[in-house]
Amino acid sequence: MPGLSRWIRGNGRYPAAGADLTQGRKEHWFSRLASEIATRSGRPGPFAFAVCFVVVWLVSGPIFDFSDTWQLIMNTCSSIVTFLMVFLIQNTQNRDSTALQLKLDELIRANAPRKDLVGIEEKPESEIESKRRETRGN
């Protein structure tokens, strides 16, 4: 498997640059869903829908005499949407962060004399702080 040999030559945490990990395997359904929802929810249409929902809710307040049920509808809807979006956005953020670390590691490996910094984000906080002081010359 050609992609596997490039993975083995990588640093063990991430595949080497150019490795084709999708070969013979589809992207996980949750990753596709999370990415699609995170992308679409950041557009003007969903924002306009949310604003319209809030306006309709506010305008309906006097009709329902600002009752507890009226308030509960908004609280419940916003809590459910927030709860679900946290997981979807976190998944997208994790994937983006991993991709960025992979790119930085590859740049360090290819160009920098400080190859010991590859994968430092997984080291203990004390070691990161030590490297920061060393880099600053303190």
Side-chain angles (χ1 to χ4, degrees):
M1 183 187 290
L4 182 60
S5 64
R6 281 191 282 230
W7 168 260
I8 293 169
R9 285 191 308 237
N11 64 9
R13 290 180 350 219
Y14 304 113
D20 183 12
L21 298 180
T22 60
Q23 189 176 36
R25 175 173 65 146
K26 292 184 179 178
E27 185 179 12
H28 193 269
W29 67 268
F30 183 75
S31 292
R32 286 191 318 267
L33 176 71
S35 180
E36 190 66 27
I37 291 175
T39 299
R40 288 182 184 216
S41 66
R43 294 198 173 136
F47 177 75
F49 174 79
V51 169
C52 289
F53 183 78
V54 170
V55 167
V56 167
W57 176 75
L58 287 172
V59 169
S60 69
I63 298 168
F64 294 102
D65 199 29
F66 299 100
S67 67
D68 289 343
T69 303
W70 174 80
Q71 292 178 22
L72 186 61
I73 289 171
M74 179 52 86
N75 289 338
T76 303
C77 289
S78 63
S79 293
I80 290 170
V81 169
T82 301
F83 181 75
L84 295 175
M85 288 301 291
V86 163
F87 293 103
L88 295 175
I89 292 170
Q90 186 62 50
N91 176 272
T92 303
Q93 183 64 39
N94 289 346
R95 193 171 52 252
D96 290 348
S97 178
T98 300
L100 182 60
Q101 287 301 321
L102 171 61
K103 292 174 185 180
L104 289 173
D105 287 352
E106 188 63 24
L107 286 172
I108 291 170
R109 214 175 1 283
N111 300 317
R114 297 284 313 268
K115 294 186 191 301
D116 60 325
L117 295 176
V118 172
I120 194 165
E121 71 278 359
E122 294 182 1
K123 304 284 188 202
E125 188 68 31
S126 59
E127 190 172 337
I128 294 172
E129 183 61 27
S130 171
K131 294 290 184 188
R132 185 190 64 77
R133 283 193 304 271
E134 187 181 309
T135 302
R136 287 187 176 175
N138 293 333

